[in-house]
Amino acid sequence: MSEALRSGRKSTTLTVHHAPATADAAAEKAKLQKHFGRADIFFFLVCTLVGVDGLGTLATQGGAGFTWLVVSVLLFAVPSAMLLAELGAGFTDEGGPYVWVRMAFGHLAGAVNNFFYWVTNPVWMGGTLVATALSGLVVFFNGEADYSTTTTVLLGIPFIWLGVLFAVLSFRVGKWVATIGAIARFLLLGFFSITVVGYGVRHGFHGIRAGGFKPDFSSFVALVPLILFSLVGFELPSAAGEEMQDAKRDVPAGIAKSVIATGLLYGLPVLGILLVLPEDQATGLAGFPQALKQSLTIFGGSVSTGADGAVTVSLSAGAEAIGWVMGLLIVVVAFTSGLTWIMGSDRTLAVSCYDGAGPRWFGAFSERFGTPVRVNILSGVVSTAVFVATLSITGGNAAKFFNVALGLAISTTLISYLGIFPAAWRLRGQRADDGGYRAPWIGVTTVVSMAFIVFCTVELLFPGLGDGWFAEDYRPEEWASDERWSYLLTEAVPLAAFIAIAVGFWWAGARHRRNEVVVLPEARRP
């Protein structure tokens, strides 16, 4: 990245570009509160981008997972970060991701794209992040035994609604929760990386066969969609663009630092999992907690392998106490991952609703907190419904179809970038020479970023296409090779439903679009 992106500063006059707005927008924007500085943006981005729910899965293909992670950071994360830094610095309206698509392609495209952007997050909160938090508690507090349904509910419901509570509170409070979450990531993943080195010194480094880092097309098809899902979100702070103290300068600087931090915080733990666990153990949701627990035996404990190849880890009292701290940090990391996404995406939905791309009732910000309370509550309701459904649908064809639909809903964020990334190129022509950050080679970076997203979108609908559509290595568990068309229908129906809801939102906002007025740019001195 260029020096401009690293520093985020220029000594020229900066022009603030605004999208055309509605009278309703002006009324709601008057409630916003400026609390978001450069350091806050960086910590917010670390929380947004770095999670532990996919770390175990990234290691399922052995060293190839690490190789594709590095390739994806260099060829996707860096170019896409440049595009989003330009958008965040050049167009600083509240609800950034929605506003950019609307300015570039119109209200209808903005409404559809933004619904995809929003819906992932409450579904992810109730469908995956609760399970991630529980996996950390199970591994370190419950002796690897799953909690009962009652205990799961008693832990899961407060997890969701505490997130809603913090989302309702202003960024004055929410940014500190995000800061705590970022620090938790540095502590958890940094400590794990150190203990892995100690474990390797004591027991030898194993788990990666000779040539295991060599990538191939099958591992590319299997892993890159997951990796990209872990590397998107650089635009999320711009959802609160008008709550930032100086978006034009602070957004590029925050994004540049977060690219480096994200690469390290993902790369080192994934490499550690590969070194600690044999490939057949580094799988599934609890892969990271199990690898962490095994590495903690350097403080006291033992590792034994049963006749069936299963590994049992026993910790001494001192190591177990450290494990309790690590388990709680996993909960904090999972919680703050969901919180930052809810805080950001809820703002984009509320902005679209007061902007004429959704029902006006949802486009209300609190006078007291400056937050979209109604959308926050809607996210909590959706998360709770997904959580209850996940617990209730446990077997048979119902579970098979539900899990596929859930996976699609969680991955719709990727689809939303089909609108966000090209907006940077389209809006470049509408932007004056304002002295702010501009992405180099914007045509190339847009094409490269879009190529990754298009590939992942195709693989969501046709898993394994290019190497063996719906072959055993790619299709979900419990699905047979002759069920590919049923699977495709299971994916297509939710997509069609999301589009229909989004078009309904757009139709509901028609009356408010008639009140659109032009807001002139204003100049701001550095």
Side-chain angles (χ1 to χ4, degrees), residues 374-441:
R374 292 172 182 174
V375 180
N376 295 150
I377 294 173
L378 175 64
S379 289
V381 171
V382 173
S383 291
T384 303
V386 170
F387 173 63
V388 172
T390 303
L391 289 179
S392 303
I393 305 174
T394 57
N397 285 334
K400 182 170 72 172
F401 286 99
F402 173 76
N403 289 336
V404 168
L406 178 65
L408 173 70
I410 292 174
S411 301
T412 48
T413 292
L414 291 180
I415 297 175
S416 72
Y417 289 91
L418 294 173
I420 294 173
F421 286 154
W425 199 357
R426 180 71 178 269
L427 294 177
R428 171 69 70 86
Q430 300 181 24
R431 184 181 174 193
D433 186 8
D434 56 10
Y437 174 74
R438 288 176 178 251
W441 314 298

Coordinates of all heavy atoms in Angstrom, one line a residue, residues 374-441:
R374 N -34.3 0.6 17.1 CA -35.3 -0.3 16.5 C -34.7 -1.4 15.7 O -35.1 -2.6 15.8 CB -36.3 0.5 15.7 CG -37.2 1.4 16.5 CD -38.0 2.3 15.6 NE -38.8 3.3 16.4 CZ -39.6 4.3 15.9 NH1 -39.6 4.4 14.6 NH2 -40.2 5.1 16.7
V375 N -33.7 -1.0 14.9 CA -33.0 -2.1 14.1 C -32.2 -3.0 15.1 O -32.0 -4.2 14.8 CB -32.1 -1.4 13.1 CG1 -31.4 -2.5 12.3 CG2 -33.0 -0.6 12.1
N376 N -31.6 -2.4 16.1 CA -30.8 -3.2 17.1 C -31.7 -4.3 17.7 O -31.3 -5.4 17.8 CB -30.3 -2.3 18.2 CG -29.2 -1.3 17.8 OD1 -29.1 -0.2 18.4 ND2 -28.5 -1.6 16.8
I377 N -32.9 -3.9 18.0 CA -33.9 -4.9 18.6 C -34.3 -5.9 17.6 O -34.4 -7.1 17.8 CB -35.1 -4.2 19.2 CG1 -34.7 -3.3 20.4 CG2 -36.2 -5.2 19.6 CD1 -35.8 -2.4 20.9
L378 N -34.5 -5.5 16.3 CA -34.8 -6.4 15.2 C -33.7 -7.4 15.1 O -33.9 -8.6 14.9 CB -35.0 -5.6 13.9 CG -35.2 -6.5 12.7 CD1 -36.5 -7.3 12.8 CD2 -35.2 -5.6 11.4
S379 N -32.4 -7.0 15.1 CA -31.3 -7.9 15.1 C -31.3 -8.9 16.2 O -31.0 -10.1 16.0 CB -30.0 -7.1 15.1 OG -29.8 -6.4 13.9
G380 N -31.6 -8.4 17.4 CA -31.7 -9.4 18.5 C -32.8 -10.4 18.4 O -32.6 -11.6 18.7
V381 N -34.0 -10.0 17.8 CA -35.1 -10.9 17.6 C -34.7 -12.0 16.5 O -34.9 -13.2 16.7 CB -36.3 -10.2 17.1 CG1 -37.4 -11.1 16.7 CG2 -36.8 -9.3 18.3
V382 N -34.0 -11.5 15.4 CA -33.6 -12.5 14.4 C -32.5 -13.4 15.0 O -32.6 -14.6 14.7 CB -33.1 -11.7 13.2 CG1 -32.5 -12.7 12.2 CG2 -34.2 -10.9 12.5
S383 N -31.6 -12.9 15.7 CA -30.5 -13.8 16.3 C -31.1 -14.8 17.2 O -30.7 -16.0 17.2 CB -29.5 -12.9 17.1 OG -28.8 -12.1 16.2
T384 N -32.1 -14.4 18.1 CA -32.7 -15.3 19.0 C -33.5 -16.4 18.2 O -33.4 -17.6 18.6 CB -33.7 -14.6 19.9 OG1 -32.9 -13.5 20.6 CG2 -34.3 -15.5 20.9
A385 N -34.2 -16.0 17.2 CA -35.0 -17.0 16.4 C -34.0 -18.0 15.7 O -34.3 -19.2 15.7 CB -35.8 -16.3 15.3
V386 N -32.9 -17.5 15.2 CA -31.9 -18.5 14.6 C -31.3 -19.4 15.7 O -31.2 -20.6 15.5 CB -30.8 -17.7 13.9 CG1 -29.7 -18.6 13.5 CG2 -31.4 -16.9 12.7
F387 N -31.0 -18.8 16.8 CA -30.5 -19.6 17.9 C -31.4 -20.7 18.4 O -31.1 -21.9 18.5 CB -30.1 -18.7 19.1 CG -29.7 -19.4 20.4 CD1 -28.6 -20.2 20.4 CD2 -30.5 -19.3 21.5 CE1 -28.2 -20.8 21.6 CE2 -30.1 -19.9 22.7 CZ -28.9 -20.7 22.7
V388 N -32.7 -20.4 18.5 CA -33.7 -21.4 18.9 C -33.9 -22.4 17.9 O -34.0 -23.6 18.1 CB -35.0 -20.7 19.3 CG1 -36.1 -21.7 19.5 CG2 -34.9 -19.8 20.5
A389 N -33.9 -22.0 16.6 CA -34.1 -22.9 15.5 C -32.9 -23.9 15.4 O -33.0 -25.1 15.2 CB -34.2 -22.2 14.2
T390 N -31.7 -23.4 15.7 CA -30.5 -24.2 15.6 C -30.5 -25.3 16.7 O -30.1 -26.4 16.5 CB -29.2 -23.3 15.8 OG1 -29.2 -22.3 14.8 CG2 -28.0 -24.2 15.8
L391 N -31.1 -24.9 17.9 CA -31.2 -25.9 19.0 C -32.3 -26.9 18.7 O -32.2 -28.1 19.0 CB -31.5 -25.2 20.3 CG -30.4 -24.4 20.9 CD1 -30.8 -23.8 22.2 CD2 -29.2 -25.4 21.2
S392 N -33.4 -26.4 18.0 CA -34.6 -27.3 17.8 C -34.4 -28.2 16.7 O -34.9 -29.4 16.7 CB -35.8 -26.4 17.6 OG -36.0 -25.5 18.7
I393 N -33.8 -27.8 15.6 CA -33.7 -28.7 14.4 C -32.4 -29.4 14.5 O -31.3 -28.9 14.1 CB -33.8 -27.8 13.1 CG1 -35.0 -27.0 13.2 CG2 -33.7 -28.7 11.9 CD1 -35.1 -26.0 12.0
T394 N -32.4 -30.6 15.0 CA -31.2 -31.3 15.3 C -30.9 -32.6 14.5 O -29.8 -33.2 14.6 CB -31.2 -31.8 16.8 OG1 -32.4 -32.6 17.0 CG2 -31.3 -30.6 17.7
G395 N -31.8 -33.0 13.7 CA -31.6 -34.3 13.0 C -32.5 -34.4 11.8 O -33.5 -33.6 11.6
G396 N -32.2 -35.4 10.9 CA -33.1 -35.7 9.8 C -33.0 -34.7 8.7 O -32.1 -33.9 8.7
N397 N -33.9 -34.8 7.7 CA -33.8 -33.9 6.6 C -34.0 -32.4 7.0 O -33.5 -31.6 6.3 CB -34.9 -34.3 5.6 CG -34.6 -35.6 4.8 OD1 -33.4 -35.9 4.6 ND2 -35.6 -36.3 4.3
A398 N -34.8 -32.2 8.0 CA -35.0 -30.8 8.4 C -33.7 -30.2 8.8 O -33.4 -29.0 8.4 CB -36.0 -30.8 9.6
A399 N -32.8 -30.9 9.6 CA -31.5 -30.4 9.9 C -30.6 -30.2 8.7 O -29.9 -29.2 8.6 CB -30.9 -31.3 11.0
K400 N -30.7 -31.1 7.8 CA -29.9 -31.1 6.6 C -30.2 -29.8 5.8 O -29.2 -29.1 5.4 CB -30.1 -32.3 5.8 CG -29.3 -32.4 4.5 CD -29.4 -33.8 3.9 CE -30.7 -34.0 3.2 NZ -30.8 -35.2 2.4
F401 N -31.4 -29.5 5.6 CA -31.8 -28.4 4.8 C -31.6 -27.1 5.6 O -31.1 -26.1 5.0 CB -33.3 -28.5 4.4 CG -33.5 -29.5 3.3 CD1 -34.0 -30.7 3.5 CD2 -33.2 -29.1 1.9 CE1 -34.2 -31.7 2.5 CE2 -33.4 -30.1 0.9 CZ -33.9 -31.3 1.2
F402 N -31.9 -27.1 6.9 CA -31.7 -25.9 7.7 C -30.2 -25.5 7.7 O -29.9 -24.3 7.6 CB -32.2 -26.2 9.1 CG -31.9 -25.1 10.1 CD1 -32.6 -23.9 10.1 CD2 -30.9 -25.2 11.0 CE1 -32.4 -22.9 10.9 CE2 -30.6 -24.2 11.9 CZ -31.3 -23.0 11.9
N403 N -29.3 -26.4 7.9 CA -27.9 -26.1 8.0 C -27.4 -25.5 6.7 O -26.5 -24.6 6.8 CB -27.1 -27.4 8.4 CG -27.3 -27.8 9.8 OD1 -27.7 -27.0 10.7 ND2 -27.1 -29.1 10.1
V404 N -27.9 -26.0 5.6 CA -27.4 -25.4 4.3 C -28.0 -24.0 4.2 O -27.2 -23.0 3.8 CB -27.9 -26.2 3.2 CG1 -27.8 -25.5 1.8 CG2 -27.1 -27.6 3.1
A405 N -29.2 -23.7 4.5 CA -29.8 -22.4 4.4 C -29.1 -21.5 5.4 O -28.9 -20.3 5.1 CB -31.3 -22.5 4.7
L406 N -28.8 -22.0 6.6 CA -28.1 -21.2 7.6 C -26.7 -20.8 7.1 O -26.3 -19.6 7.2 CB -27.9 -22.0 8.9 CG -27.2 -21.3 10.0 CD1 -27.9 -20.1 10.5 CD2 -27.0 -22.3 11.2
G407 N -26.0 -21.7 6.5 CA -24.7 -21.4 5.9 C -24.8 -20.3 4.8 O -23.9 -19.5 4.7
L408 N -25.8 -20.4 4.0 CA -26.0 -19.4 3.0 C -26.2 -18.0 3.6 O -25.6 -17.0 3.2 CB -27.1 -19.7 2.1 CG -27.5 -18.6 1.0 CD1 -26.4 -18.5 0.0 CD2 -28.8 -18.9 0.4
A409 N -27.1 -18.0 4.6 CA -27.4 -16.7 5.2 C -26.2 -16.1 5.9 O -26.0 -14.9 5.9 CB -28.5 -16.9 6.3
I410 N -25.3 -16.9 6.4 CA -24.1 -16.4 7.1 C -23.1 -15.9 6.0 O -22.3 -15.0 6.3 CB -23.5 -17.5 7.9 CG1 -24.4 -17.8 9.2 CG2 -22.1 -17.1 8.4 CD1 -23.9 -19.0 10.0
S411 N -23.2 -16.4 4.8 CA -22.3 -16.0 3.8 C -22.8 -14.9 2.8 O -22.1 -14.5 1.9 CB -22.0 -17.3 2.9 OG -21.4 -18.3 3.7
T412 N -24.0 -14.4 3.1 CA -24.5 -13.4 2.2 C -23.7 -12.1 2.3 O -23.8 -11.2 1.3 CB -26.0 -13.1 2.5 OG1 -26.1 -12.9 3.9 CG2 -26.9 -14.2 2.0
T413 N -22.9 -11.9 3.3 CA -22.1 -10.7 3.3 C -21.2 -10.6 2.1 O -20.9 -9.6 1.5 CB -21.2 -10.7 4.6 OG1 -22.0 -10.4 5.7 CG2 -20.2 -9.5 4.6
L414 N -20.6 -11.8 1.7 CA -19.7 -11.8 0.6 C -20.5 -11.3 -0.7 O -19.9 -10.6 -1.5 CB -19.2 -13.3 0.3 CG -18.2 -13.8 1.4 CD1 -17.8 -15.2 1.0 CD2 -17.0 -12.9 1.4
I415 N -21.7 -11.8 -0.8 CA -22.5 -11.4 -2.0 C -22.7 -9.8 -2.0 O -22.7 -9.2 -3.1 CB -23.9 -12.1 -2.0 CG1 -23.6 -13.6 -2.1 CG2 -24.7 -11.6 -3.1 CD1 -24.9 -14.4 -2.0
S416 N -22.8 -9.2 -0.9 CA -23.0 -7.8 -0.9 C -21.8 -7.0 -1.4 O -22.0 -5.8 -1.9 CB -23.3 -7.3 0.6 OG -22.1 -7.3 1.4
Y417 N -20.6 -7.6 -1.4 CA -19.5 -6.9 -2.0 C -19.5 -6.8 -3.5 O -18.7 -6.0 -4.1 CB -18.2 -7.5 -1.5 CG -17.9 -7.2 0.0 CD1 -18.4 -8.1 0.9 CD2 -17.3 -6.1 0.4 CE1 -18.3 -7.9 2.3 CE2 -17.1 -5.8 1.8 CZ -17.6 -6.7 2.7 OH -17.5 -6.5 4.0
L418 N -20.4 -7.5 -4.1 CA -20.6 -7.4 -5.6 C -21.1 -6.0 -5.9 O -21.0 -5.5 -7.0 CB -21.6 -8.4 -6.1 CG -21.2 -9.9 -6.0 CD1 -22.3 -10.8 -6.4 CD2 -20.0 -10.1 -6.9
G419 N -21.8 -5.3 -4.9 CA -22.2 -3.9 -5.1 C -21.2 -2.9 -4.5 O -21.0 -1.9 -5.1
I420 N -20.5 -3.3 -3.4 CA -19.7 -2.3 -2.7 C -18.4 -2.1 -3.5 O -18.0 -0.9 -3.7 CB -19.4 -2.8 -1.3 CG1 -20.6 -2.8 -0.5 CG2 -18.3 -2.0 -0.6 CD1 -20.5 -3.5 0.9
F421 N -17.7 -3.1 -3.9 CA -16.4 -3.0 -4.6 C -16.4 -2.1 -5.9 O -15.7 -1.2 -6.0 CB -15.7 -4.3 -4.9 CG -15.2 -5.0 -3.6 CD1 -15.1 -6.4 -3.6 CD2 -14.8 -4.3 -2.5 CE1 -14.6 -7.0 -2.5 CE2 -14.3 -4.9 -1.4 CZ -14.2 -6.3 -1.4
P422 N -17.3 -2.4 -6.8 CA -17.4 -1.6 -8.0 C -17.8 -0.1 -7.8 O -17.6 0.7 -8.6 CB -18.3 -2.3 -8.9 CG -19.2 -3.2 -8.1 CD -18.3 -3.5 -6.9
A423 N -18.4 0.1 -6.6 CA -18.9 1.5 -6.3 C -17.7 2.4 -6.2 O -17.8 3.6 -6.6 CB -19.6 1.5 -5.0
A424 N -16.5 1.9 -5.8 CA -15.3 2.8 -5.7 C -14.9 3.3 -7.1 O -14.6 4.5 -7.2 CB -14.2 2.0 -5.0
W425 N -14.9 2.4 -8.0 CA -14.5 2.8 -9.4 C -15.5 3.7 -10.0 O -15.2 4.7 -10.6 CB -14.4 1.5 -10.2 CG -13.5 1.7 -11.5 CD1 -13.0 2.9 -12.0 CD2 -13.2 0.7 -12.4 NE1 -12.3 2.6 -13.1 CE2 -12.4 1.3 -13.4 CE3 -13.4 -0.7 -12.5 CZ2 -11.9 0.6 -14.5 CZ3 -12.9 -1.4 -13.5 CH2 -12.2 -0.8 -14.5
R426 N -16.8 3.4 -9.8 CA -17.9 4.2 -10.3 C -17.9 5.6 -9.7 O -18.1 6.6 -10.4 CB -19.2 3.5 -10.1 CG -20.5 4.3 -10.6 CD -20.5 4.2 -12.1 NE -21.7 4.9 -12.6 CZ -22.9 4.3 -12.8 NH1 -23.0 2.9 -12.6 NH2 -23.9 4.9 -13.3
L427 N -17.6 5.7 -8.4 CA -17.7 7.0 -7.8 C -16.4 7.9 -8.0 O -16.4 9.1 -7.6 CB -18.0 6.8 -6.3 CG -19.4 6.3 -5.9 CD1 -19.5 6.1 -4.4 CD2 -20.5 7.2 -6.5
R428 N -15.4 7.2 -8.4 CA -14.1 8.0 -8.6 C -14.4 9.2 -9.5 O -13.8 10.3 -9.3 CB -13.1 7.1 -9.2 CG -11.8 7.7 -9.7 CD -10.9 8.3 -8.6 NE -10.3 7.3 -7.8 CZ -9.1 6.7 -8.1 NH1 -8.4 7.0 -9.2 NH2 -8.6 5.8 -7.2
G429 N -15.2 9.0 -10.5 CA -15.5 10.1 -11.4 C -16.3 11.3 -10.8 O -16.4 12.4 -11.4
Q430 N -17.0 11.0 -9.7 CA -17.9 12.0 -9.1 C -17.1 12.7 -8.0 O -17.7 13.6 -7.4 CB -19.1 11.3 -8.5 CG -20.0 10.6 -9.5 CD -21.2 10.0 -8.8 OE1 -21.6 10.4 -7.7 NE2 -21.8 8.9 -9.4
R431 N -15.9 12.4 -7.8 CA -15.1 12.9 -6.7 C -14.1 14.0 -7.1 O -13.3 13.7 -8.1 CB -14.4 11.8 -5.9 CG -13.7 12.2 -4.7 CD -13.0 11.0 -4.1 NE -12.1 11.4 -2.9 CZ -11.2 10.6 -2.4 NH1 -11.1 9.4 -2.8 NH2 -10.5 11.1 -1.3
A432 N -14.2 15.1 -6.6 CA -13.2 16.2 -6.9 C -11.8 15.8 -6.4 O -11.7 14.9 -5.6 CB -13.7 17.5 -6.3
D433 N -10.8 16.6 -6.8 CA -9.5 16.4 -6.3 C -9.4 17.0 -4.9 O -9.0 18.1 -4.8 CB -8.4 17.0 -7.3 CG -7.0 16.7 -6.9 OD1 -6.8 15.8 -6.0 OD2 -6.1 17.3 -7.5
D434 N -9.8 16.2 -3.9 CA -10.0 16.8 -2.6 C -8.8 16.6 -1.7 O -8.8 16.9 -0.5 CB -11.2 16.1 -2.0 CG -11.1 14.6 -1.9 OD1 -10.0 14.0 -2.2 OD2 -12.1 14.0 -1.6
G435 N -7.7 16.0 -2.2 CA -6.5 15.8 -1.4 C -6.6 14.6 -0.5 O -5.6 14.3 0.3
G436 N -7.7 13.8 -0.5 CA -7.8 12.6 0.3 C -7.2 11.4 -0.4 O -6.7 11.5 -1.5
Y437 N -7.2 10.3 0.3 CA -6.6 9.1 -0.2 C -7.3 8.6 -1.4 O -8.6 8.5 -1.5 CB -6.6 8.0 0.9 CG -6.2 6.6 0.3 CD1 -4.8 6.4 0.1 CD2 -7.0 5.6 0.0 CE1 -4.3 5.2 -0.4 CE2 -6.6 4.4 -0.5 CZ -5.2 4.2 -0.7 OH -4.8 3.1 -1.3
R438 N -6.5 8.1 -2.4 CA -7.0 7.5 -3.6 C -6.3 6.2 -3.9 O -5.1 6.1 -3.8 CB -6.9 8.4 -4.8 CG -7.8 9.6 -4.8 CD -7.6 10.5 -6.0 NE -8.5 11.6 -6.0 CZ -9.5 11.8 -6.9 NH1 -9.7 10.9 -7.8 NH2 -10.4 12.8 -6.8
A439 N -7.1 5.1 -4.1 CA -6.5 3.8 -4.3 C -5.7 3.8 -5.6 O -6.2 4.2 -6.7 CB -7.5 2.7 -4.3
P440 N -4.5 3.3 -5.6 CA -3.7 3.2 -6.9 C -4.3 2.1 -7.8 O -4.8 1.1 -7.2 CB -2.3 2.8 -6.4 CG -2.5 2.2 -5.1 CD -3.7 2.8 -4.5
W441 N -4.2 2.2 -9.1 CA -4.6 1.2 -10.0 C -6.1 0.7 -9.7 O -6.3 -0.5 -9.5 CB -3.7 0.0 -10.0 CG -2.2 0.4 -10.1 CD1 -1.6 1.0 -11.0 CD2 -1.3 0.1 -9.0 NE1 -0.3 1.2 -10.7 CE2 0.0 0.6 -9.5 CE3 -1.3 -0.6 -7.8 CZ2 1.1 0.5 -8.8 CZ3 -0.1 -0.7 -7.1 CH2 1.1 -0.1 -7.6

